[in-house]
Amino acid sequence: MTTYHIRLEGDVLKVGFGKDANGDQLVRDAAARLDEMVALGELSGGKLLKIDGPASVAVSYVIAHKISQLYGAIAVFDPKIGRQGYKTFITAISQTPAYKIGELIETDEPHKSKPILKVVLCGPPQSGKSCLREGLKQAISQIEGAPYPYVITACPDGEGAWFSDAARRDLDLARQLKDEYKAKFTPEFAQKAAGWVQSANTPLNIIDVGGKITEENRLIMREATHAVILAGDRAKEEVPLWAEFCRDLNIHIIANLHSDYHGNEDEIVSQSPLLTGSVHYLARGEDVSSRPMVQALARVLVGLCGG
């Protein structure tokens, strides 16, 4: 099984992750597949090529390098923009006056007929939400047939989707970059993040929000469909407040989890109708994707997607 899938459907290049692997292997597999498609005449060039699917930054560069000279313009699908439920592409490369860089190409193609899940990871600060987010993303990606877990970082703390991987390699550098990227939680940022959540139309979206009950988070979370509440030992008393916050926004709570930082194992107390229990040692740089609670939550989310 390859680490990265690429196939052509009409004028759309469908891409997506396969089995879990490091970035260098992803790049090699993507390059090999593109070379194969060019040699077979599958990618023969044309006026416009649209690209639909997730890609790492490195893989995106490989794709652009391999095919940019074959097409007059290349546009990339962005789930944060366009009409709700329909795909819109952004022109990223253009060598023809027919298309301008940044031009939006709207389509009548529905994104998915399945329900669109917008699952917010919420709860008090420093409870391990970003670590859970990364572990959950990896766990879902390992489930056969699962939709790609699209992550929206709706908190300007500087800890984007890149952070966990970077922390495993160089924790000090990751912390330094996080501090440099960190910004203030302004009303303008909240409005922009709320737009991301509202426009998200991939089947499974995971939204990481700030750890305070604020009007900014109310604005961001109001478009969410489901919630996972995560709280550590020092903030257990805040859990009822977060639960009430979610209920006020008509968000269905699917998990209420204890972040047991000093624990040695997970504990699953109940799985239905609410997933409860604990997940241990959510530490930066740790791969938590194989933890029983993370695996259980991944199965819940995939199940809600119809997978």
Side-chain angles (χ1 to χ4, degrees):
M1 180 182 179
T2 183
T3 64
Y4 200 73
H5 301 296
I6 306 175
R7 70 183 190 277
L8 188 65
E9 294 184 6
D11 66 346
V12 179
L13 192 67
K14 299 282 189 174
V15 301
F17 295 100
K19 67 179 182 180
D20 192 34
N22 289 331
D24 56 334
Q25 187 62 51
L26 284 170
V27 166
R28 285 193 290 270
D29 285 354
R33 173 58 179 150
L34 289 167
D35 287 341
E36 177 187 43
M37 294 177 73
V38 171
L40 293 173
E42 295 178 33
L43 288 172
S44 56
K47 181 178 179 182
L48 172 68
L49 179 70
K50 300 193 286 286
I51 300 176
D52 180 3
S56 67
V57 173
V59 169
S60 297
Y61 271 88
V62 169
I63 294 173
H65 170 68
K66 293 288 186 180
I67 65 176
S68 60
Q69 299 303 313
L70 299 176
Y71 293 87
I74 295 175
V76 180
F77 171 57
D78 189 335
K80 294 180 181 178
I81 61 174
R83 295 179 295 157
Q84 182 70 26
Y86 293 90
K87 293 185 178 181
T88 296
F89 295 77
I90 302 173
T91 304
I93 297 174
S94 180
Q95 302 171 101
T96 171
Y99 297 94
K100 296 180 179 179
I101 296 293
E103 179 180 346
L104 299 182
I105 301 175
E106 294 188 341
T107 73
D108 293 325
E109 179 187 357
H111 183 59
K112 287 289 181 181
S113 58
K114 293 182 179 180
I116 295 174
L117 265 67
K118 301 179 182 183
V119 184
V120 62
L121 300 183
C122 62
Q126 299 181 339
S127 52
K129 291 191 296 295
S130 295
C131 298
L132 176 61
R133 175 194 72 190
E134 182 61 23
L136 189 58
K137 180 179 176 181
Q138 296 299 326
I140 292 170
S141 299
Q142 293 165 12
I143 298 176
E144 186 175 355
Y148 179 77
Y150 183 79
V151 172
I152 298 174
T153 304
C155 178
D157 61 359
E159 194 166 321
W162 55 271
F163 184 84
S164 291
D165 246 3
R168 281 195 287 271
R169 290 167 171 76
D170 190 330
L171 183 57
D172 290 337
L173 176 60
R175 286 172 172 167
Q176 177 187 335
L177 293 173
K178 175 184 174 179
D179 290 340
E180 291 176 2
Y181 296 157
K182 189 172 183 178
K184 292 183 178 180
F185 207 143
T186 62
E188 291 77 16
F189 175 84
Q191 191 70 49
K192 181 183 293 185
W196 296 340
V197 178
Q198 181 180 26
S199 299
N201 52 16
T202 53
L204 176 54
N205 306 276
I206 299 174
I207 304 128
D208 187 2
V209 299
K212 295 182 179 179
I213 296 175
T214 62
E215 289 305 308
E216 286 81 7
N217 268 341
R218 184 183 300 275
L219 178 65
I220 293 168
M221 290 172 57
R222 68 183 181 183
E223 296 293 336
T225 60
H226 299 76
V228 173
I229 300 175
L230 180 70
D233 291 322
R234 293 180 294 179
K236 288 183 178 180
E237 70 281 356
E238 294 186 38
V239 171
L241 299 177
W242 278 98
E244 181 180 0
F245 190 53
C246 291
R247 285 193 293 267
D248 285 346
L249 291 168
N250 199 30
I251 300 173
H252 179 55
I253 301 170
I254 56 175
N256 194 334
L257 309 180
H258 170 221
S259 179
D260 185 9
Y261 184 79
H262 298 288
N264 296 312
E265 60 182 10
D266 291 4
E267 181 185 12
I268 299 176
V269 176
S270 66
Q271 297 198 50
S272 180
L274 183 69
L275 181 62
T276 62
S278 64
V279 55
H280 76 284
Y281 195 51
L282 291 173
R284 291 181 173 90
E286 285 287 312
D287 180 1
V288 304
S289 62
S290 62
R291 307 277 171 85
M293 180 57 82
V294 178
Q295 292 275 324
L297 181 55
R299 291 192 296 270
V300 168
L301 296 183
V302 173
L304 288 171
C305 291

